[in-house]
Short mmCIF file of all heavy atoms in Angstrom, two decimals:
data_model
loop_
_atom_site.label_atom_id
_atom_site.label_comp_id
_atom_site.label_asym_id
_atom_site.label_seq_id
_atom_site.Cartn_x
_atom_site.Cartn_y
_atom_site.Cartn_z
N ASP V 1499 -6.49 22.91 18.43
CA ASP V 1499 -5.39 23.26 19.34
C ASP V 1499 -4.33 22.14 19.29
O ASP V 1499 -3.74 21.78 20.31
CB ASP V 1499 -5.94 23.43 20.75
CG ASP V 1499 -5.02 24.23 21.65
OD1 ASP V 1499 -4.38 25.17 21.14
OD2 ASP V 1499 -4.91 23.91 22.84
N ARG V 1501 -1.15 20.45 19.10
CA ARG V 1501 0.27 20.79 19.28
C ARG V 1501 1.20 19.87 18.49
O ARG V 1501 2.31 20.25 18.14
CB ARG V 1501 0.62 20.76 20.77
CG ARG V 1501 0.14 22.06 21.42
CD ARG V 1501 -0.21 21.94 22.85
NE ARG V 1501 -1.07 23.06 23.19
CZ ARG V 1501 -0.66 24.16 23.82
NH1 ARG V 1501 0.58 24.27 24.22
NH2 ARG V 1501 -1.49 25.14 24.07
N ALA V 1505 4.08 21.07 16.05
CA ALA V 1505 5.46 20.55 16.15
C ALA V 1505 5.98 20.18 14.76
O ALA V 1505 7.15 20.42 14.45
CB ALA V 1505 5.49 19.35 17.07
N VAL V 1508 6.96 23.38 13.01
CA VAL V 1508 8.24 23.89 13.53
C VAL V 1508 9.38 23.06 12.97
O VAL V 1508 10.38 23.60 12.50
CB VAL V 1508 8.25 23.86 15.08
CG1 VAL V 1508 9.62 24.26 15.61
CG2 VAL V 1508 7.18 24.78 15.65
N GLU V 1509 9.20 21.74 13.04
CA GLU V 1509 10.23 20.83 12.53
C GLU V 1509 10.55 21.13 11.07
O GLU V 1509 11.70 21.13 10.65
CB GLU V 1509 9.70 19.39 12.65
CG GLU V 1509 10.71 18.31 12.39
CD GLU V 1509 11.54 18.03 13.63
OE1 GLU V 1509 10.98 18.05 14.74
OE2 GLU V 1509 12.74 17.82 13.47
N GLN V 1512 12.14 25.09 10.93
CA GLN V 1512 13.12 25.60 11.90
C GLN V 1512 14.51 25.79 11.30
O GLN V 1512 15.20 26.77 11.62
CB GLN V 1512 13.17 24.71 13.14
CG GLN V 1512 13.59 23.25 12.92
CD GLN V 1512 15.09 23.01 12.96
OE1 GLN V 1512 15.83 23.83 13.50
NE2 GLN V 1512 15.54 21.91 12.38
N SER V 1513 14.92 24.90 10.44
CA SER V 1513 16.29 24.96 9.93
C SER V 1513 16.55 26.25 9.17
O SER V 1513 17.52 26.97 9.44
CB SER V 1513 16.56 23.74 9.04
OG SER V 1513 17.85 23.81 8.51
N ARG V 1516 16.25 29.44 11.49
CA ARG V 1516 17.42 29.60 12.37
C ARG V 1516 18.66 30.01 11.57
O ARG V 1516 19.47 30.80 12.03
CB ARG V 1516 17.67 28.30 13.13
CG ARG V 1516 16.61 28.07 14.21
CD ARG V 1516 16.64 26.64 14.70
NE ARG V 1516 17.82 26.34 15.48
CZ ARG V 1516 18.36 25.12 15.57
NH1 ARG V 1516 17.80 24.10 14.94
NH2 ARG V 1516 19.42 24.92 16.31
N THR V 1517 18.79 29.47 10.35
CA THR V 1517 19.93 29.85 9.51
C THR V 1517 19.85 31.32 9.14
O THR V 1517 20.85 32.05 9.22
CB THR V 1517 19.97 28.98 8.24
OG1 THR V 1517 20.03 27.60 8.62
CG2 THR V 1517 21.18 29.30 7.39
N ARG V 1520 20.78 33.37 12.10
CA ARG V 1520 22.21 33.30 12.40
C ARG V 1520 23.00 34.26 11.51
O ARG V 1520 23.95 34.89 11.95
CB ARG V 1520 22.73 31.87 12.21
CG ARG V 1520 22.35 30.98 13.37
CD ARG V 1520 22.92 29.59 13.24
NE ARG V 1520 22.36 28.75 14.29
CZ ARG V 1520 22.84 27.56 14.64
NH1 ARG V 1520 23.89 27.06 14.00
NH2 ARG V 1520 22.28 26.87 15.60
N ARG V 1521 22.59 34.35 10.26
CA ARG V 1521 23.28 35.28 9.36
C ARG V 1521 22.97 36.72 9.77
O ARG V 1521 23.83 37.58 9.74
CB ARG V 1521 22.85 35.02 7.91
CG ARG V 1521 23.27 33.68 7.38
CD ARG V 1521 24.78 33.54 7.28
NE ARG V 1521 25.18 32.16 7.01
CZ ARG V 1521 25.49 31.26 7.94
NH1 ARG V 1521 25.48 31.60 9.22
NH2 ARG V 1521 25.84 30.03 7.63
N ALA V 1534 14.57 32.81 17.06
CA ALA V 1534 13.80 31.80 16.32
C ALA V 1534 12.69 31.24 17.21
O ALA V 1534 11.55 31.04 16.75
CB ALA V 1534 14.72 30.68 15.84
N GLN V 1535 13.02 31.00 18.47
CA GLN V 1535 12.01 30.49 19.40
C GLN V 1535 10.89 31.52 19.58
O GLN V 1535 9.71 31.18 19.52
CB GLN V 1535 12.67 30.19 20.75
CG GLN V 1535 11.75 29.52 21.75
CD GLN V 1535 12.49 29.07 22.99
OE1 GLN V 1535 13.67 28.71 22.93
NE2 GLN V 1535 11.81 29.07 24.11
N PHE V 1538 8.57 31.49 16.54
CA PHE V 1538 7.58 30.42 16.45
C PHE V 1538 6.48 30.57 17.50
O PHE V 1538 5.33 30.19 17.25
CB PHE V 1538 8.27 29.05 16.55
CG PHE V 1538 8.91 28.63 15.26
CD1 PHE V 1538 10.28 28.65 15.11
CD2 PHE V 1538 8.13 28.24 14.17
CE1 PHE V 1538 10.88 28.29 13.91
CE2 PHE V 1538 8.72 27.88 12.96
CZ PHE V 1538 10.10 27.90 12.83
N VAL V 1539 6.82 31.14 18.65
CA VAL V 1539 5.77 31.40 19.64
C VAL V 1539 4.81 32.47 19.09
O VAL V 1539 3.58 32.35 19.24
CB VAL V 1539 6.37 31.84 20.99
CG1 VAL V 1539 5.27 32.31 21.95
CG2 VAL V 1539 7.16 30.70 21.63
N TRP V 1542 2.51 30.90 16.62
CA TRP V 1542 1.43 30.19 17.32
C TRP V 1542 0.34 31.17 17.76
O TRP V 1542 -0.85 30.95 17.52
CB TRP V 1542 1.99 29.45 18.53
CG TRP V 1542 0.95 28.92 19.47
CD1 TRP V 1542 0.36 29.58 20.51
CD2 TRP V 1542 0.33 27.62 19.41
NE1 TRP V 1542 -0.57 28.78 21.11
CE2 TRP V 1542 -0.61 27.58 20.47
CE3 TRP V 1542 0.49 26.51 18.59
CZ2 TRP V 1542 -1.38 26.46 20.73
CZ3 TRP V 1542 -0.29 25.39 18.85
CH2 TRP V 1542 -1.21 25.37 19.90
N ARG V 1546 -4.18 32.69 13.74
CA ARG V 1546 -5.52 33.03 13.24
C ARG V 1546 -5.47 34.17 12.23
O ARG V 1546 -6.42 34.36 11.45
CB ARG V 1546 -6.45 33.41 14.39
CG ARG V 1546 -6.95 32.23 15.15
CD ARG V 1546 -7.84 32.57 16.31
NE ARG V 1546 -8.03 31.39 17.13
CZ ARG V 1546 -8.83 30.39 16.81
NH1 ARG V 1546 -9.55 30.46 15.72
NH2 ARG V 1546 -8.92 29.33 17.58
N PHE V 1593 34.22 35.01 -11.66
CA PHE V 1593 35.16 34.08 -11.07
C PHE V 1593 34.59 32.69 -11.22
O PHE V 1593 33.39 32.50 -11.32
CB PHE V 1593 35.36 34.36 -9.58
CG PHE V 1593 35.99 35.69 -9.30
CD1 PHE V 1593 35.21 36.80 -9.00
CD2 PHE V 1593 37.36 35.84 -9.35
CE1 PHE V 1593 35.80 38.02 -8.73
CE2 PHE V 1593 37.94 37.07 -9.08
CZ PHE V 1593 37.16 38.16 -8.78
N GLU V 1594 35.44 31.73 -11.17
CA GLU V 1594 34.96 30.36 -11.11
C GLU V 1594 34.44 30.10 -9.71
O GLU V 1594 34.76 30.80 -8.76
CB GLU V 1594 36.11 29.39 -11.43
CG GLU V 1594 36.61 29.48 -12.85
CD GLU V 1594 35.50 29.21 -13.86
OE1 GLU V 1594 34.78 28.22 -13.68
OE2 GLU V 1594 35.35 30.00 -14.80
N MET V 1595 33.67 29.06 -9.57
CA MET V 1595 33.18 28.66 -8.26
C MET V 1595 34.38 28.38 -7.35
O MET V 1595 35.25 27.59 -7.69
CB MET V 1595 32.34 27.39 -8.41
CG MET V 1595 31.77 26.86 -7.12
SD MET V 1595 30.47 27.90 -6.50
CE MET V 1595 29.99 26.96 -5.05
N PRO V 1596 34.47 29.03 -6.19
CA PRO V 1596 35.61 28.81 -5.31
C PRO V 1596 35.57 27.43 -4.67
O PRO V 1596 34.55 26.76 -4.68
CB PRO V 1596 35.45 29.89 -4.25
CG PRO V 1596 34.01 30.19 -4.23
CD PRO V 1596 33.51 29.97 -5.61
N ARG V 1601 33.69 28.33 1.69
CA ARG V 1601 32.36 28.54 2.26
C ARG V 1601 32.45 28.87 3.75
O ARG V 1601 31.63 29.59 4.30
CB ARG V 1601 31.53 27.26 2.06
CG ARG V 1601 30.07 27.42 2.38
CD ARG V 1601 29.34 26.12 2.15
NE ARG V 1601 29.28 25.78 0.75
CZ ARG V 1601 29.02 24.56 0.29
NH1 ARG V 1601 28.84 23.57 1.12
NH2 ARG V 1601 28.97 24.32 -0.99
N LEU V 1604 32.53 32.47 4.33
CA LEU V 1604 31.35 33.25 3.97
C LEU V 1604 30.70 33.89 5.19
O LEU V 1604 30.34 35.07 5.17
CB LEU V 1604 30.33 32.35 3.24
CG LEU V 1604 29.02 33.01 2.83
CD1 LEU V 1604 29.27 34.15 1.86
CD2 LEU V 1604 28.08 31.98 2.19
N TYR V 1623 18.17 35.13 -0.35
CA TYR V 1623 18.89 33.86 -0.53
C TYR V 1623 18.56 32.84 0.55
O TYR V 1623 18.22 31.70 0.26
CB TYR V 1623 20.41 34.11 -0.58
CG TYR V 1623 20.82 34.74 -1.88
CD1 TYR V 1623 20.86 36.12 -2.01
CD2 TYR V 1623 21.12 33.95 -2.99
CE1 TYR V 1623 21.21 36.71 -3.21
CE2 TYR V 1623 21.47 34.53 -4.19
CZ TYR V 1623 21.52 35.92 -4.30
OH TYR V 1623 21.86 36.48 -5.50
N TYR V 1624 18.65 33.24 1.81
CA TYR V 1624 18.45 32.27 2.89
C TYR V 1624 16.96 31.98 3.12
O TYR V 1624 16.59 30.86 3.43
CB TYR V 1624 19.12 32.77 4.17
CG TYR V 1624 20.63 32.71 4.06
CD1 TYR V 1624 21.34 33.75 3.48
CD2 TYR V 1624 21.32 31.57 4.47
CE1 TYR V 1624 22.72 33.68 3.34
CE2 TYR V 1624 22.70 31.50 4.32
CZ TYR V 1624 23.39 32.55 3.75
OH TYR V 1624 24.76 32.46 3.61
N LYS V 1651 26.61 41.52 -2.54
CA LYS V 1651 27.32 40.51 -3.32
C LYS V 1651 28.68 41.03 -3.79
O LYS V 1651 29.66 40.28 -3.83
CB LYS V 1651 26.46 40.07 -4.51
CG LYS V 1651 25.32 39.14 -4.08
CD LYS V 1651 24.30 38.91 -5.16
CE LYS V 1651 24.88 38.19 -6.33
NZ LYS V 1651 23.87 37.98 -7.39
N LEU V 1654 30.96 40.83 -0.81
CA LEU V 1654 31.32 39.43 -0.51
C LEU V 1654 32.33 38.91 -1.53
O LEU V 1654 33.28 38.21 -1.17
CB LEU V 1654 30.06 38.54 -0.50
CG LEU V 1654 29.08 38.78 0.66
CD1 LEU V 1654 27.82 37.95 0.47
CD2 LEU V 1654 29.72 38.43 2.00
N ARG V 1655 32.11 39.25 -2.79
CA ARG V 1655 33.06 38.85 -3.84
C ARG V 1655 34.46 39.38 -3.53
O ARG V 1655 35.45 38.68 -3.60
CB ARG V 1655 32.62 39.37 -5.20
CG ARG V 1655 31.66 38.49 -5.92
CD ARG V 1655 31.56 38.94 -7.38
NE ARG V 1655 30.28 38.53 -7.92
CZ ARG V 1655 29.21 39.30 -8.01
NH1 ARG V 1655 29.26 40.55 -7.60
NH2 ARG V 1655 28.09 38.84 -8.50
N LEU V 1658 35.89 37.46 -0.61
CA LEU V 1658 36.13 36.02 -0.78
C LEU V 1658 37.05 35.71 -1.96
O LEU V 1658 37.70 34.67 -1.96
CB LEU V 1658 34.80 35.28 -0.96
CG LEU V 1658 33.90 35.30 0.28
CD1 LEU V 1658 32.55 34.70 -0.04
CD2 LEU V 1658 34.55 34.53 1.43
N MET X 898 17.63 36.96 -10.43
CA MET X 898 18.97 36.79 -9.92
C MET X 898 19.77 35.89 -10.85
O MET X 898 19.25 34.93 -11.39
CB MET X 898 18.93 36.19 -8.52
CG MET X 898 18.86 37.24 -7.44
SD MET X 898 18.58 36.49 -5.85
CE MET X 898 16.80 36.55 -5.79
N ASP X 902 26.14 32.94 -11.45
CA ASP X 902 27.14 33.59 -10.62
C ASP X 902 27.58 32.63 -9.50
O ASP X 902 26.76 32.07 -8.79
CB ASP X 902 26.47 34.85 -10.04
CG ASP X 902 27.45 35.70 -9.26
OD1 ASP X 902 28.54 35.20 -8.95
OD2 ASP X 902 27.09 36.85 -8.98
N TRP X 903 28.91 32.49 -9.30
CA TRP X 903 29.37 31.59 -8.23
C TRP X 903 28.96 32.08 -6.86
O TRP X 903 28.74 31.30 -5.94
CB TRP X 903 30.89 31.37 -8.30
CG TRP X 903 31.75 32.59 -8.04
CD1 TRP X 903 32.28 33.42 -8.98
CD2 TRP X 903 32.16 33.12 -6.78
NE1 TRP X 903 33.01 34.42 -8.40
CE2 TRP X 903 32.95 34.27 -7.04
CE3 TRP X 903 31.95 32.74 -5.46
CZ2 TRP X 903 33.53 35.03 -6.03
CZ3 TRP X 903 32.52 33.51 -4.44
CH2 TRP X 903 33.30 34.64 -4.74
N MET X 904 28.82 33.41 -6.73
CA MET X 904 28.38 33.93 -5.43
C MET X 904 26.95 33.51 -5.13
O MET X 904 26.62 33.15 -4.00
CB MET X 904 28.49 35.47 -5.44
CG MET X 904 28.05 36.13 -4.15
SD MET X 904 28.89 35.47 -2.70
CE MET X 904 30.57 35.90 -3.05
N ASP X 905 26.10 33.52 -6.17
CA ASP X 905 24.73 33.03 -6.00
C ASP X 905 24.75 31.59 -5.50
O ASP X 905 24.03 31.23 -4.56
CB ASP X 905 23.98 33.07 -7.33
CG ASP X 905 23.33 34.42 -7.57
OD1 ASP X 905 23.19 35.18 -6.61
OD2 ASP X 905 22.98 34.70 -8.73
N ARG X 906 25.58 30.78 -6.16
CA ARG X 906 25.61 29.36 -5.80
C ARG X 906 26.14 29.16 -4.38
O ARG X 906 25.66 28.31 -3.64
CB ARG X 906 26.44 28.57 -6.81
CG ARG X 906 25.65 28.24 -8.07
CD ARG X 906 26.40 27.27 -8.92
NE ARG X 906 27.40 27.98 -9.72
CZ ARG X 906 28.42 27.37 -10.33
NH1 ARG X 906 28.58 26.07 -10.22
NH2 ARG X 906 29.26 28.06 -11.07
N LEU X 907 27.14 29.95 -4.05
CA LEU X 907 27.73 29.84 -2.71
C LEU X 907 26.69 30.18 -1.64
O LEU X 907 26.53 29.46 -0.65
CB LEU X 907 28.92 30.79 -2.60
CG LEU X 907 29.80 30.65 -1.36
CD1 LEU X 907 30.46 29.29 -1.30
CD2 LEU X 907 30.87 31.74 -1.34
N LEU X 908 25.93 31.26 -1.88
CA LEU X 908 24.91 31.67 -0.92
C LEU X 908 23.79 30.64 -0.83
O LEU X 908 23.31 30.30 0.25
CB LEU X 908 24.34 33.04 -1.31
CG LEU X 908 25.29 34.24 -1.10
CD1 LEU X 908 24.76 35.47 -1.81
CD2 LEU X 908 25.45 34.52 0.40
N ARG X 909 23.38 30.13 -2.00
CA ARG X 909 22.27 29.16 -2.00
C ARG X 909 22.70 27.85 -1.34
O ARG X 909 21.92 27.21 -0.62
CB ARG X 909 21.78 28.91 -3.43
CG ARG X 909 21.07 30.11 -4.01
CD ARG X 909 20.27 29.77 -5.25
NE ARG X 909 19.81 30.99 -5.89
CZ ARG X 909 18.83 31.76 -5.42
NH1 ARG X 909 18.22 31.42 -4.30
NH2 ARG X 909 18.47 32.85 -6.05
N ASP X 910 23.95 27.44 -1.60
CA ASP X 910 24.45 26.21 -0.96
C ASP X 910 24.49 26.39 0.56
O ASP X 910 24.13 25.49 1.32
CB ASP X 910 25.86 25.87 -1.46
CG ASP X 910 25.84 25.30 -2.87
OD1 ASP X 910 24.72 25.02 -3.36
OD2 ASP X 910 26.92 25.13 -3.46
N ASP X 911 24.95 27.56 0.98
CA ASP X 911 25.04 27.82 2.42
C ASP X 911 23.65 27.81 3.05
O ASP X 911 23.44 27.27 4.13
CB ASP X 911 25.72 29.18 2.66
CG ASP X 911 26.03 29.41 4.12
OD1 ASP X 911 26.57 28.49 4.76
OD2 ASP X 911 25.74 30.51 4.63
N ALA X 912 22.67 28.42 2.32
CA ALA X 912 21.30 28.47 2.84
C ALA X 912 20.67 27.08 2.91
O ALA X 912 19.86 26.80 3.79
CB ALA X 912 20.46 29.38 1.95
N ALA X 913 21.08 26.21 1.99
CA ALA X 913 20.45 24.88 1.91
C ALA X 913 20.99 23.90 2.94
O ALA X 913 20.41 22.85 3.16
CB ALA X 913 20.66 24.31 0.50
N ARG X 914 22.11 24.26 3.57
CA ARG X 914 22.65 23.36 4.59
C ARG X 914 21.68 23.27 5.75
O ARG X 914 21.32 24.28 6.34
CB ARG X 914 24.00 23.87 5.09
CG ARG X 914 25.15 23.50 4.19
CD ARG X 914 26.45 23.87 4.83
NE ARG X 914 26.47 25.29 5.18
CZ ARG X 914 27.24 25.80 6.13
NH1 ARG X 914 28.01 25.02 6.84
NH2 ARG X 914 27.23 27.09 6.38
N GLY X 915 21.20 22.09 6.06
CA GLY X 915 20.21 21.95 7.13
C GLY X 915 20.85 22.02 8.51
O GLY X 915 21.99 21.59 8.69
N LEU X 916 20.10 22.59 9.45
CA LEU X 916 20.57 22.60 10.84
C LEU X 916 19.89 21.48 11.59
O LEU X 916 18.68 21.30 11.46
CB LEU X 916 20.20 23.93 11.50
CG LEU X 916 21.03 25.17 11.17
CD1 LEU X 916 20.48 26.36 11.94
CD2 LEU X 916 22.48 24.95 11.52
N PRO X 917 20.61 20.70 12.39
CA PRO X 917 19.95 19.68 13.21
C PRO X 917 19.03 20.34 14.23
O PRO X 917 19.29 21.47 14.68
CB PRO X 917 21.11 18.97 13.89
CG PRO X 917 22.24 19.92 13.85
CD PRO X 917 22.06 20.75 12.61
N ASN X 918 17.95 19.66 14.56
CA ASN X 918 16.95 20.24 15.45
C ASN X 918 17.50 20.50 16.86
O ASN X 918 17.26 21.56 17.45
CB ASN X 918 15.72 19.32 15.51
CG ASN X 918 14.52 20.02 16.09
OD1 ASN X 918 14.51 20.35 17.26
ND2 ASN X 918 13.51 20.27 15.26
N PHE X 921 15.25 21.91 19.52
CA PHE X 921 14.64 23.22 19.29
C PHE X 921 13.11 23.14 19.33
O PHE X 921 12.45 23.95 19.98
CB PHE X 921 15.11 23.80 17.96
CG PHE X 921 14.50 25.14 17.64
CD1 PHE X 921 14.96 26.30 18.23
CD2 PHE X 921 13.43 25.24 16.76
CE1 PHE X 921 14.38 27.52 17.96
CE2 PHE X 921 12.84 26.45 16.48
CZ PHE X 921 13.32 27.60 17.08
N THR X 922 12.55 22.14 18.65
CA THR X 922 11.08 22.00 18.60
C THR X 922 10.52 21.80 20.01
O THR X 922 9.49 22.39 20.38
CB THR X 922 10.69 20.81 17.71
OG1 THR X 922 11.20 21.04 16.40
CG2 THR X 922 9.18 20.65 17.62
N ARG X 924 11.78 22.87 22.81
CA ARG X 924 11.84 24.13 23.55
C ARG X 924 10.71 25.07 23.12
O ARG X 924 10.13 25.76 23.95
CB ARG X 924 13.20 24.81 23.34
CG ARG X 924 14.35 24.11 24.02
CD ARG X 924 15.56 25.03 24.15
NE ARG X 924 16.11 25.45 22.86
CZ ARG X 924 16.92 24.71 22.12
NH1 ARG X 924 17.30 23.51 22.53
NH2 ARG X 924 17.37 25.16 20.96
N VAL X 925 10.41 25.07 21.83
CA VAL X 925 9.31 25.93 21.34
C VAL X 925 7.99 25.47 21.95
O VAL X 925 7.21 26.29 22.48
CB VAL X 925 9.22 25.90 19.80
CG1 VAL X 925 7.94 26.56 19.32
CG2 VAL X 925 10.43 26.59 19.18
N LEU X 926 7.74 24.15 21.92
CA LEU X 926 6.47 23.64 22.45
C LEU X 926 6.34 23.92 23.95
O LEU X 926 5.25 24.20 24.45
CB LEU X 926 6.36 22.13 22.19
CG LEU X 926 6.20 21.74 20.71
CD1 LEU X 926 6.09 20.23 20.58
CD2 LEU X 926 4.99 22.40 20.07
N SER X 928 7.39 26.47 25.47
CA SER X 928 7.16 27.89 25.73
C SER X 928 5.81 28.38 25.21
O SER X 928 5.50 29.57 25.30
CB SER X 928 8.29 28.74 25.15
OG SER X 928 8.44 28.47 23.79
N LEU X 929 5.00 27.46 24.68
CA LEU X 929 3.67 27.86 24.20
C LEU X 929 2.72 28.05 25.39
O LEU X 929 2.93 27.46 26.45
CB LEU X 929 3.10 26.79 23.27
CG LEU X 929 3.82 26.56 21.94
CD1 LEU X 929 3.09 25.48 21.14
CD2 LEU X 929 3.92 27.84 21.13
N PRO X 930 1.67 28.85 25.22
CA PRO X 930 0.67 28.99 26.28
C PRO X 930 0.01 27.64 26.58
O PRO X 930 -0.02 26.77 25.70
CB PRO X 930 -0.35 29.97 25.70
CG PRO X 930 0.27 30.55 24.48
CD PRO X 930 1.35 29.64 24.03
N PRO X 931 -0.50 27.45 27.81
CA PRO X 931 -1.13 26.15 28.14
C PRO X 931 -2.35 25.88 27.27
O PRO X 931 -2.96 26.81 26.74
CB PRO X 931 -1.52 26.32 29.62
CG PRO X 931 -1.51 27.78 29.88
CD PRO X 931 -0.53 28.39 28.92
N PRO X 932 -2.72 24.60 27.13
CA PRO X 932 -3.89 24.25 26.30
C PRO X 932 -5.17 24.88 26.82
O PRO X 932 -5.27 25.19 28.01
CB PRO X 932 -3.97 22.72 26.42
CG PRO X 932 -2.62 22.30 26.86
CD PRO X 932 -2.06 23.42 27.67
N ARG X 933 -6.15 25.00 25.91
CA ARG X 933 -7.40 25.69 26.26
C ARG X 933 -8.39 24.72 26.91
O ARG X 933 -9.51 24.55 26.44
CB ARG X 933 -8.02 26.29 25.01
CG ARG X 933 -7.17 27.36 24.37
CD ARG X 933 -7.75 27.81 23.06
NE ARG X 933 -7.87 26.73 22.09
CZ ARG X 933 -8.12 26.91 20.80
NH1 ARG X 933 -8.30 28.12 20.34
NH2 ARG X 933 -8.22 25.90 19.98
#
Side-chain angles (χ1 to χ4, degrees):
Chain V
D1499 200 36
R1501 280 151 201 260
V1508 175
E1509 190 83 39
Q1512 61 87 20
S1513 178
R1516 289 165 70 208
T1517 303
R1520 283 183 188 194
R1521 295 295 169 267
Q1535 186 172 329
F1538 281 106
V1539 172
W1542 169 273
R1546 282 179 192 284
F1593 295 96
E1594 294 301 312
M1595 180 71 178
R1601 190 180 292 161
L1604 178 61
Y1623 286 90
Y1624 289 86
K1651 284 169 65 180
L1654 291 174
R1655 274 193 204 97
L1658 294 173
Chain X
M898 270 172 268
D902 186 346
W903 65 264
M904 180 53 63
D905 273 343
R906 279 190 278 163
L907 190 63
L908 288 166
R909 291 195 190 287
D910 285 352
D911 189 47
R914 278 187 304 156
L916 283 180
N918 196 293
F921 179 78
T922 301
R924 289 198 297 279
V925 169
L926 292 181
S928 55
L929 295 181
R933 297 174 301 192

